Amino acid sequence: MFTGSIVALITPMDEKGQICRTSLKKLVDYHVLNKTTAIVSIGTTGESATLSQEEHIKVVMLTLELADDRIPIIAGTGANATTEAVSLTQRFENSGIAACLTVTPYYNKPTQTGLYQHFKAISENTELPQILYNVPSRTGCDLLPETISKLSVFKNIIGIKEATGDLSRINKIKASVPNDFLLISGDDITALDFIQLGGNGVISVTANIAAREMTKLCSYALKGEFIKARLINQRLMYLHEALFLESNPIPVKWLAQKIGLIKYNTLRLPMTSASKFTCLQLEKAIQNAKIQQH
């Protein structure tokens, strides 16, 4: 369930900034229909930074309810305080959540020893499977391969979302972790190459807009049919790039509304709507990718 195209789901909001159940149901149904392998609820793309913890839990549980056992739900449970990350993780015990995605602590820039102790503490205080999440461009710290290796011995730390875009990391990590330890890309632009080098899939922003295409791309790649996968990836490349012209999830929410997947393009401050230039590029990107309206 944790291979292939996993979507980093956006969090739809109404015009007042409250969670929009109608649009969330449409998104979940869209991913079930297009065979996305799992949904990450309330990660970076889901605007975890601007939701209260109560809202965070509410959206994860609502996503789980709307999924109705049709698709696994992975809960984002990261925090920059270890006690908060443990507490949030424990809220999802026995809930039906399939796993947790736990980002490296942001802003306070821990050492490798601090990162190891942080994830060790979470692992020891839950039975839920844990997927580490390394995204230095967002957090200000980098979970190095040698630290990943040390953490991989914990039975419920099952893999990592590696979002550095550095493909040289794959062999370094694979060489020092168990064979069943999952390596999941967090970078759509390099995801195909990541899988070709031995990765298991991608937690994708692009899948919010092109779920069917990302499912096919990953399916072909995991079967070793790289020519077919690369043809799809070439069609999506401008979209991969355009979705990061401004900070995620600004472009993807605008585009999700544009193609009819959500009703409102609402973000919470300090996130603001996409610029005119970005909107023009996004429109070109969906034309190039041949994405249909919904």
Side-chain angles (χ1 to χ4, degrees):
M1 69 175 71
F2 302 129
T3 63
S5 177
I6 301 168
V7 66
L9 196 69
I10 57 176
T11 299
M13 301 176 186
D14 63 22
E15 68 273 29
K16 295 181 180 179
Q18 301 305 305
I19 309 307
C20 180
R21 180 189 176 101
T22 302
S23 289
L24 184 57
K25 183 179 188 306
K26 187 169 185 176
L27 289 172
V28 172
D29 291 345
Y30 166 70
H31 286 289
V32 171
L33 177 66
N34 288 289
K35 296 181 170 53
T36 299
T37 55
I39 289 172
V40 172
S41 179
I42 312 299
T44 303
T45 311
E47 297 176 78
S48 58
T50 53
L51 296 182
S52 68
Q53 188 170 109
E54 181 182 350
E55 289 174 316
H56 185 135
I57 294 165
K58 176 183 176 182
V59 174
V60 172
M61 295 308 294
L62 180 57
T63 306
L64 186 67
E65 175 194 331
L66 295 171
D68 193 25
D69 293 324
R70 295 175 297 162
I71 185 171
I73 307 300
I74 301 168
T77 53
N80 62 345
T82 304
T83 53
E84 185 179 342
V86 169
S87 173
L88 187 55
T89 300
Q90 289 177 335
R91 292 292 295 268
F92 297 117
E93 292 275 4
N94 303 310
S95 67
I97 290 297
C100 297
L101 180 69
T102 310
V103 73
T104 51
Y106 39 86
Y107 186 77
N108 44 19
K109 298 177 72 174
T111 64
Q112 294 302 303
T113 300
L115 290 169
Y116 173 80
Q117 294 292 344
H118 173 81
F119 289 114
K120 176 176 181 286
I122 297 169
S123 172
E124 291 176 341
N125 282 280
T126 184
E127 295 294 320
L128 285 168
Q130 301 291 305
I131 301 171
L132 310 173
Y133 178 14
N134 188 37
V135 57
S137 63
R138 287 271 189 175
T139 63
C141 66
D142 187 0
L143 187 64
L144 297 178
E146 52 266 35
T147 309
I148 297 167
S149 175
K150 292 176 184 176
L151 290 166
S152 70
V153 303
F154 293 95
K155 66 177 183 178
N156 60 340
I157 297 181
I158 63 169
I160 184 165
K161 175 185 176 183
E162 176 61 42
T164 60
D166 180 359
L167 295 172
S168 70
R169 289 263 178 124
I170 300 170
N171 284 333
K172 293 176 184 176
I173 297 170
K174 282 183 74 69
S176 60
V177 298
N179 289 335
D180 60 352
F181 190 82
L182 296 168
L183 273 68
I184 304 170
S185 172
D187 178 55
D188 282 301
I189 291 172
T190 59
L192 174 55
D193 296 320
F194 188 99
I195 295 172
Q196 192 162 4
L197 289 168
N200 300 103
V202 59
I203 294 178
S204 171
V205 176
T206 301
N208 281 282
I209 304 301
R212 181 178 60 181
E213 291 81 0
M214 287 303 297
T215 295
K216 287 183 177 180
L217 186 159
C218 290
S219 178
Y220 283 137
L222 289 169
K223 290 187 291 187
E225 298 181 33
F226 294 110
I227 294 174
K228 292 179 180 178
R230 205 158 292 282
L231 286 172
I232 297 172
N233 199 49
Q234 287 168 355
R235 179 157 54 91
L236 294 179
M237 186 54 70
Y238 189 27
L239 178 60
H240 294 328
E241 294 171 345
L243 286 171
F244 288 88
L245 286 172
E246 295 183 36
S247 296
N248 181 37
I250 291 172
V252 70
K253 283 193 101 169
W254 184 88
L255 204 45
Q257 183 195 33
K258 176 73 176 177
I259 65 173
L261 283 170
I262 59 176
K263 190 170 183 181
Y264 300 98
N265 171 31
T266 305
L267 297 127
R268 291 184 178 178
L269 287 171
M271 307 301 278
T272 55
S273 296
S275 68
K276 289 183 179 179
F277 171 80
T278 296
C279 294
L280 286 172
Q281 301 310 308
L282 290 167
E283 287 181 334
K284 291 178 183 177
I286 57 170
Q287 289 170 7
N288 287 349
K290 300 177 182 177
I291 303 300
Q292 297 178 344
Q293 294 284 325
H294 295 271

